[in-house]
Amino acid sequence: QVQLVESGGGLVQPGGSLRLSCAASESIFSFYAMGWYRQAPGKQRELVASITSGDSTNYADFVKGRFTISRDNAKNTVYLQMNSLKPEDTAVYYCNAQRYRSGYRRDYWGQGTQVTVSS
């Protein structure tokens, strides 16, 4: 019943920037954490960045200093600002939301948005 809708992907040149948005169907405070994952063809899905309801952030080493995750609680939206993009950043980016109920973790996923970095 939880829905996550990503937007903001597209084609960008190396060194360029994109801002991804993830709009949730309910208050993002209802989730323990929200984050962004990505998956390139033939590769496993990997964590890019996450943010908890307490504003704790976590970044993959390969994006530190380039990407920033943030949220707008009033809009129920999480963002991923991506700067200094590299061709290896090309992937489908997925929004993720985590919720804990009765001691177990449940994950919700968006449909994904394509990011292509190429000259």
Side-chain angles (χ1 to χ4, degrees), residues 6-14 16-21 82 85-87 89-93 112-118:
E6 302 103 328
S7 61
L11 175 65
V12 65
Q13 294 186 350
S17 299
L18 284 173
R19 189 192 195 197
L20 306 184
S21 298
M82 305 186 294
L85 284 161
K86 305 174 181 179
D89 293 320
T90 297
V92 177
Y93 284 71
T113 184
Q114 177 71 46
V115 172
T116 302
V117 185
S118 177

Side-chain angles (χ1 to χ4, degrees), residues 18 20 34-40 44-51 57-70 78-83 85 88-96 98 105 109 113 115:
L18 284 173
L20 306 184
M34 297 188 71
W36 291 92
Y37 288 71
R38 71 186 188 188
Q39 187 167 24
Q44 292 184 293
R45 188 172 298 189
E46 61 185 354
L47 173 70
V48 176
S50 65
I51 185 167
T57 58
N58 183 49
Y59 295 94
D61 287 342
F62 52 81
V63 302
K64 286 183 177 178
R66 299 191 297 127
F67 293 7
T68 303
I69 189 169
S70 62
V78 173
Y79 304 96
L80 183 68
Q81 178 66 46
M82 305 186 294
N83 299 324
L85 284 161
E88 51 263 45
D89 293 320
T90 297
V92 177
Y93 284 71
Y94 296 91
C95 183
N96 165 262
Q98 301 170 30
R105 171 177 165 172
W109 298 92
T113 184
V115 172

